Amino acid sequence: ARGGRGRRSGRTAEMGWFIGLPGGASVVARKGSLVAVHFDLHSLEVGSQSIVIADQVGDFVGPGFRMASTSAGGDIALATRAEDAPTDFAWTDRHGVRGAPLGMAQAFSSTLLSPDGSHAVGSRTDPTDGLEVVWTADLARRTAAPLTHSQNDSYDPVWSPDGQRIAFGNRALGTDDLYLQAASGATPKQLRWSARPCDADPRDWSHDGRWLFFEGRPRSGARHQQIWALDLQTDSARVILQEDFDLAAPCLSPDGRWLAYLSTESGRTDLFVRSFPDLQRKWQVSNGGASAPHWRADGRELLFLNATP
């Protein structure tokens, strides 16, 4: 059985995702490797001794799922992965002309610029334990350093409007909870919402500083991913959009009047916009697929990625 729902499994640095084998053994993902351990079905205890089956086992969607499976007879199928290739930062103009790389090669993902453009934040996999860690980068000094230090994944960082704080998800308590931390790293992370009704992936912070928008994957009831909003004045969260299809990537315009988001209602993932906060008027923006919506700073343009040639 997989150790959780959604993109992560609740894995810690020691043990997490596991699948069973005949004869009271289990295959466990530990620090990026696949190991076999004894598992007592009556006491639900794991043995202390383990045998490494393979290193660098591939991830599926996120670090919580491993590309491995077992048969009833005990055969194991798995896929290995190469190390994440480092990427670099570079400025690109509106015509697609890219400037010289900044010389800060890192294996970043989910990278976002700070509101003033001086810093970037992203997540990367720590090669020593396979955990996802939030990093910040100073683009002027061309330095990068980890922001989070945890016994579980930290992911999907989002800047506050003033660039002083960063919101992110973390599974330290066994669920995809929402945390805030000073961008300087001078203070420890602060739990702002415990994701009991659903796992949470933060996506956007309103320009007035009040709302943190996130994707919610319900643990019961609704089958499809929803869009939620956390009120940072009251630390209460609620569903703001739910449909009979998946919703993702909420992004509020700078003036707070329009909510952009992704939806699969057209049969593929396309970009839509609704009036906010009433959500009564709706327009489809893309035709042919979309991802990563982002409002221009003045709110007059909505940018997104489209893989169609």
Side-chain angles (χ1 to χ4, degrees):
R2 286 177 176 165
R5 62 177 295 130
R7 63 188 291 270
R8 292 172 181 83
S9 67
R11 180 174 52 86
T12 68
E14 290 301 318
M15 184 174 68
W17 176 95
F18 69 94
I19 49 181
L21 284 173
S26 293
V27 176
V28 183
R30 283 182 175 171
K31 299 184 178 181
S33 298
L34 208 62
V35 301
V37 298
H38 175 73
F39 182 70
D40 191 317
L41 293 173
H42 299 288
S43 66
L44 302 182
E45 293 182 350
V46 177
S48 58
Q49 295 183 338
S50 61
I51 300 173
V52 177
I53 299 171
D55 293 320
Q56 297 298 321
V57 181
D59 298 332
F60 175 73
V61 181
F65 294 129
R66 294 295 176 189
M67 291 181 177
S69 182
T70 62
S71 72
D75 296 320
I76 301 174
L78 60 95
T80 58
R81 66 174 175 86
E83 290 294 327
D84 294 332
T87 55
D88 205 344
F89 296 104
W91 295 103
T92 302
D93 67 18
R94 294 181 61 89
H95 303 288
V97 178
R98 188 178 67 181
L102 299 184
M104 299 177 58
Q106 301 280 345
F108 279 128
S109 62
S110 305
T111 307
L112 292 175
L113 275 175
S114 62
D116 65 1
S118 65
H119 290 71
V121 67
S123 57
R124 56 174 296 186
T125 301
D126 190 324
T128 62
D129 56 21
L131 295 178
E132 205 168 347
V133 180
V134 174
W135 281 59
T136 57
D138 186 321
L139 302 183
R141 292 189 174 93
R142 302 188 179 186
T143 58
L147 175 70
T148 61
H149 305 273
S150 176
Q151 293 300 308
N152 219 308
D153 294 318
S154 298
Y155 52 89
D156 294 335
V158 177
W159 290 98
S160 65
D162 60 6
Q164 298 301 305
R165 294 180 294 169
I166 295 172
F168 55 90
N170 179 272
R171 289 195 63 104
L173 302 179
T175 52
D176 284 356
D177 303 320
L178 298 178
Y179 287 80
L180 301 185
Q181 187 166 353
S184 65
T187 58
K189 67 180 186 297
Q190 177 188 22
L191 176 64
R192 295 303 296 263
W193 191 65
S194 181
R196 299 303 175 189
C198 69
D199 287 327
D201 287 324
R203 293 301 178 201
D204 190 42
W205 201 322
S206 65
H207 281 234
D208 62 5
R210 177 171 181 176
W211 300 101
L212 183 63
F213 296 93
F214 62 93
E215 299 164 0
R217 299 182 302 280
R219 295 194 179 86
S220 62
R223 295 176 51 196
H224 297 281
Q225 186 167 272
Q226 306 162 337
I227 291 177
W228 287 60
L230 171 64
D231 187 340
L232 292 172
Q233 292 182 0
T234 63
D235 285 340
S236 60
R238 61 183 176 88
V239 180
I240 61 172
L241 273 181
Q242 56 181 336
E243 304 283 358
D244 291 330
F245 29 77
D246 288 325
L247 307 174
C251 183
L252 190 67
S253 62
D255 62 8
R257 297 179 57 197
W258 310 103
L259 182 70
Y261 63 97
L262 301 177
S263 170
T264 60
E265 64 186 271
S266 64
R268 59 179 176 266
T269 302
D270 272 311
L271 178 60
F272 291 77
V273 170
R274 284 184 184 251
S275 54
F276 189 83
D278 61 81
L279 303 173
Q280 295 302 307
R281 292 173 289 166
K282 181 177 76 171
W283 296 266
Q284 182 172 341
V285 176
S286 68
N287 183 18
S291 64
H294 177 74
W295 291 95
R296 200 172 77 177
D298 60 6
R300 301 188 64 180
E301 286 185 317
L302 182 58
L303 296 85
F304 60 94
L305 299 179
N306 186 310
T308 302

